Structure formats: C-alpha cells, structure tokens
Amino acid sequence: MQNSDKTRPRKGIFIPAGTWTLPGKISIYGRATEIIGAGPWFTKLTAPQDQSNTDVGFRIDSTANGTTIRDLSAWGNYQYRVDGPGKFLDGDHMQNVTIQNVWAEHFICLYWGVGASNNTFRNNRIKNTFADGINMTNGSNNNIIDNNYARATGDDSFAEFSAVDAGGSYNVGNQFTNNTAVCVRRAAAFAAYGGSGNLFQNLYAADTLTYPGLTISSLSFGYNTLGFGDQDTVFDSITLDRTGGDFWTSVGADDKINDYQNFGAIWFFGGDKVFKNILVKNVDINNSVYFGLMFQSKSPENLPMQNVRIENVNINNPTRYGIKLVVSAEQGQGPVVGGASFTNVKINNPGVKAIYGEDKCPNFIVTRTSGNNW
C-alpha cells in the first residue's frame, strides 16, 4: 500500500478476497493500524458456522487510537440477544478511529461507544442485529455517524444515550447525518436520550415494528444518566414513512386502542431527567401507524418539557391524530407537562382529528405561532 505522506509510511494489514473464519476477536494494540479488505462483497470474515453466539470482530485498545477498518464484511452467528459481548467493534474510550464501508450482520450491535470521541463511522451497512446498530454513551463526543444503512436492528438503529454509569458527562457534538434505518424490529430508527449540542440531520426511516421513527427521551432506564443540556439538540431534514407501533402494556391508558402503548412517528418523552432545548424542523411524516407527534411525561416526576420547538413539519395521513398529548400512558402515568411551540406544522388528512388531549392536559401549553392548519 502507498501513502500520500511519503515521510510516514502507514502500517497496516490487507485482507484479500476470500471467506475467513475467526475463532474470536481480533485485538489491535500498540499503534494505529489500517485493516483493509478487498471490499465487503469479497473479503468476508465469519464466525464459526458450527457454533452460535461467538464473540468475533475487532477490539481496539487505547494504544491503537487512530486505527482504520474498512472495505470488508463480517458475519456473526448470534441467535439471541446477550448484552456485553457480540459487538462487531469493542473499544471503550476509543478515539480517532474510522470504520468505513463495513457490512456487519448477525451481531448484537456494530458498536456501543463508551467515552468514544472523534471517531467516524461512514458508509457502513448494519443488518439483522439483536440490539442497536450504533449507540454512543457515557461522554461520547464529536463522533461522525454518516451515510450508514441499517435494516432489522433489534434495538435503536442509531442513538446517543447520555448515560454516565461508566463515567463521562453529557454526550456533546455528535453528528448523525445522511443515515437510513428500515424495518426496525424493536425500538426506534433514531433516538436521542439526553445529551447536549448533538445533531440528527438528513435522515430516513421506514416501517418500524414497535416504536417511533424518532425517539427524543430523557428516561434513564434505571441507569445513572443525564437529561438534555443547555445546547440545542437539533433534528433537521428527516423523512419518516409508516413509523410508530405497539410496545409495553397499557393498563389504565386513555384513548385505548389495544392492550399496548401506541407510539407516534416522533415520541417526545419527558422522563425522570431534564427535557429541554429540543428543535425539530423540516420533517415529513407520512402514513404514521397511529400519530405524527406524541408528547408524554413520566409520573411521579412530571418534569416539564422546556424550550421545545417544532418547525416546518408535514404530517400526512396519520391513521388517528396528527398530534397526541398523552393523558395517561398507563395506570398512574400522565398527563403530559410543559409545552411546545408549533410553527408551520401542517396536519393533512388525519384519520380521526388533528390534535388529541389538549383539553385534558392543562399543564401542557400548546403555542401556535404561524403557518399551522389546525
């Protein structure tokens, strides 16, 4: 291999075309290394076919920050979810790593970042995982997740979760851009659980099975987490087709449709942490399973949603409502608290009516500015 920098020849490994069986993880340590295949259709790394749930893929040590892995595919043999092992890539506190043009399938997830910063995940294909595609947590900052495709993930396809159970602070400065997520089996296509100053832009999601296309939530899930910080979390230029679904039981819920909670295309969930500084703009929501926008608060905390702005959103053909304010998600839960402003939000051809629950949620202020049709 040649390097444009003539004074510093790059150290690396070329994996030629072929199918190569891995007995376990490949560990990279000591220095930054390039691992380059002949392309994902040609260089195929596989787990043993006579076993199941074998932890294969790559592990990057902190001494190998700056490593690149690209132009190959990896095929796991996982048959059920096991949290912990099973990631295509392991690497806590990983920095300046590039994962590019990788096809990963039948793993638990491609990557679960802990304190990961300044890394790039670009042009990858993630299919049939048992958990997330890519999730950034525990003070993972300034990562670029760009132009990736996910299909049939078993949890959120692309997410940032501002947990601090393993150290760190808010996730800040992450950019999720130009990504596609379809046929999500469990959870959302895109999700932000807290954080500050993160960007989700130019995204497409379709055909979620159980959850929204986009989840914006400050629920801690029982982990030590932070909510949303002082910088805006921005969601810009997003298309959601046929998203939403049924999950969790809903005993005692209002507007009961079936035995489960019914989710909209975008779910704003004020959980047990601060929910504030959210900007959603330039969004098309088409044929949502139930609702376009759904606002919900967790009791008994009832923390108010603050500085939530919805701008230039088209909600086309929602099966029930364009906007649902949740009065009671389940026994003892609700109604929603806080408020949101709506500018140029168009609700076209709702199945039942444009907005539900406004008269039953006295502590949620709907601010209509201009350009709305409801």
Side-chain angles (χ1 to χ4, degrees), residues 298-318:
K298 182 182 182 301
S299 299
E301 294 86 357
N302 293 318
L303 300 175
M305 296 185 184
Q306 305 172 63
N307 194 28
V308 177
R309 291 145 290 152
I310 316 298
E311 303 174 358
N312 304 323
V313 174
N314 295 309
I315 304 172
N316 301 312
N317 308 310

Side-chain angles (χ1 to χ4, degrees), residues 243-263:
T243 57
D246 299 302
F247 206 52
W248 311 115
T249 56
S250 61
V251 176
D254 65 301
D255 187 43
K256 192 173 180 64
I257 299 170
N258 51 37
D259 291 333
Y260 301 93
Q261 287 189 33
N262 315 123
F263 289 100

Side-chain angles (χ1 to χ4, degrees), residues 261-273:
Q261 287 189 33
N262 315 123
F263 289 100
I266 301 181
W267 182 30
F268 301 81
F269 185 27
D272 54 347
K273 304 296 181 182

Side-chain angles (χ1 to χ4, degrees), residues 39-41 69-73 98-104 110 120-126 134 144-150 158 177-180:
W41 290 97
I69 300 172
R70 63 179 174 90
D71 302 334
L72 54 83
S73 62
T98 298
I99 307 298
Q100 182 171 316
N101 196 27
V102 167
W103 178 349
L110 185 137
T120 299
F121 294 79
R122 178 171 283 134
N123 300 339
N124 300 299
R125 182 181 305 182
I126 307 164
I134 297 173
I144 295 173
I145 300 93
D146 178 67
N147 201 39
N148 302 286
Y149 171 87
F158 300 98
T177 55
N178 307 307
N179 297 302
T180 295

